[in-house]
Amino acid sequence: MISVDKVKVCIDYILERNNGNQKTFTFIGGGEPLITWELLKESITYIENRAKECNVKYQIRIVTNATLLDEKRVQWLNRSNMVISVSTDVLPDIQNSQRPFYNKEKSSFDYVDNALRLLHKYKIPHTLRATITELNVGMMGEMVMFSINNYPHIKRLHFEPVTDNLIDNGRFFNSFIDNFMKARCILLSVIADNELVLYEDDVDKFNPRTQRVVKQVPTDNPDLDNFIVKRIRKGYSWNGVNLKPELVWIYKFKQEASVKNENQ
């Protein structure tokens, strides 16, 4: 297990090289990051404190199978700039088949399902990352509908193909692409039926209520501060509620840039 001192060195290295962009720290591990819960907590606390000292915007992402997430831990994770990516197989039978507990009497699906409902209860942003194998490659459409019906608050469902040398990879990936497109059609049909709207906010200056900044472009002109440079992706709204913000680049006035230009 990596020591907390080594983790802090990595964090310092990233934060002290501040180029004006948001930093993302992802805890994914070579296994399940929540097994080392105390180390994870200390690392997150250190990121928060050092980011404040360095005046750096940041986001923390944790990729977890969610089986170790109980209410006490979810409450602790209920802090700003946190996103949880839950690695799951979505459907109960597939989840319990591909990710069984050593104690067969326990259902791994029940643990994941409970964790997802806790994350929603405490309003912690989270996504689903579904592992696709030969066993469930033909069930992606079913996964989409199961997620919509059971976790309508989820904003992202990612399909991750996993293969090995024991199967025909060409046949598997052809099947993956075919079933992925079918799942996409199912989702688009649901979107159309429920009047989900793609929007682009008709403003020249950044609006934090409808947009999210993914990049800041330095400028020595204070009049351009917070004006939109480029629109990256449209936002999503449903029944007047913004589900996903529009992504934009904005100008950010930098006093250093202005001073440098004057000196030149």
Side-chain angles (χ1 to χ4, degrees):
M1 182 179 73
I2 190 171
S3 69
V4 68
D5 290 334
K6 288 183 178 179
V7 173
K8 289 180 178 179
V9 169
C10 295
I11 294 169
D12 287 339
Y13 179 85
I14 295 170
L15 291 176
E16 289 171 3
R17 284 152 180 79
N18 182 12
N19 57 5
N21 294 333
Q22 176 177 286
K23 309 296 184 181
T24 300
F25 295 87
T26 302
F27 293 90
I28 188 169
E32 172 52 48
L34 296 187
I35 289 177
T36 54
W37 175 245
E38 293 304 321
L39 174 61
L40 181 66
K41 285 172 58 180
E42 190 169 354
S43 301
I44 290 172
T45 301
Y46 188 74
I47 290 171
E48 292 173 334
N49 294 334
R50 288 290 288 128
K52 186 176 181 180
E53 292 173 5
C54 298
N55 193 30
V56 176
K57 293 182 179 180
Y58 68 94
Q59 183 182 80
I60 296 172
R61 302 185 69 90
I62 299 175
V63 181
T64 173
N65 62 31
T67 57
L68 297 177
L69 272 179
D70 56 22
E71 187 151 14
K72 185 177 179 180
R73 289 182 173 183
V74 170
Q75 286 177 321
W76 191 90
L77 292 170
N78 187 17
R79 54 223 298 127
S80 61
N81 306 316
M82 178 71 67
V83 178
I84 308 295
S85 177
V86 177
S87 181
T88 175
D89 298 315
V90 183
L91 303 174
D93 290 344
I94 302 299
Q95 169 75 24
N96 291 330
S97 173
Q98 295 194 150
R99 303 174 189 240
F101 282 149
Y102 179 76
N103 180 353
K104 297 288 187 177
E105 295 178 2
K106 295 182 179 180
S107 163
S108 65
F109 172 81
D110 290 341
Y111 279 76
V112 175
D113 179 72
N114 181 64
L116 289 171
R117 297 184 190 284
L118 286 172
L119 290 169
H120 179 54
K121 174 182 176 181
Y122 289 97
K123 296 181 172 58
I124 301 176
H126 54 288
T127 63
L128 294 183
R129 178 187 178 280
T131 301
I132 305 300
T133 67
E134 275 199 315
L135 185 63
N136 62 355
V137 69
M139 300 179 179
M140 285 190 271
E142 188 177 346
M143 290 180 182
V144 167
M145 291 309 303
F146 186 91
S147 300
I148 290 172
N149 292 328
N150 291 274
Y151 314 116
H153 53 277
I154 292 292
K155 294 183 179 179
R156 185 170 187 264
L157 171 60
H158 171 79
F159 292 128
E160 183 68 29
V162 176
T163 65
D164 57 43
N165 294 328
L166 300 178
I167 68 172
D168 182 343
N169 286 329
R171 179 176 57 81
F172 171 79
F173 279 108
N174 284 335
S175 180
F176 177 88
I177 293 170
D178 182 51
N179 284 286
F180 179 88
M181 296 309 295
K182 289 178 181 177
R184 182 176 182 273
C185 288
I186 290 172
L187 178 59
L188 291 176
S189 176
V190 172
I191 288 173
D193 291 343
N194 288 275
E195 298 180 348
L196 191 70
V197 177
L198 283 172
Y199 73 85
E200 188 173 277
D201 200 346
D202 187 22
V203 293
D204 295 323
K205 203 168 185 178
F206 169 59
N207 182 354
R209 283 185 281 187
T210 60
Q211 298 169 327
R212 180 161 68 85
V213 176
V214 293
K215 184 175 181 179
Q216 295 181 356
V217 178
T219 177
D220 58 3
N221 185 350
D223 293 334
L224 291 178
D225 194 43
N226 284 332
F227 272 79
I228 296 170
V229 180
K230 186 176 182 180
R231 299 175 187 272
I232 305 301
R233 190 205 65 204
K234 292 182 179 181
Y236 297 83
S237 67
W238 178 67
N239 281 351
V241 177
N242 289 332
L243 300 179
K244 208 164 189 177
E246 180 185 4
L247 301 184
V248 297
W249 291 7
I250 65 168
Y251 285 116
K252 202 66 185 174
F253 174 64
K254 299 290 184 180
Q255 186 67 38
E256 306 81 32
S258 178
V259 172
K260 184 177 179 180
N261 285 342
E262 288 177 4
N263 292 335
Q264 289 176 344

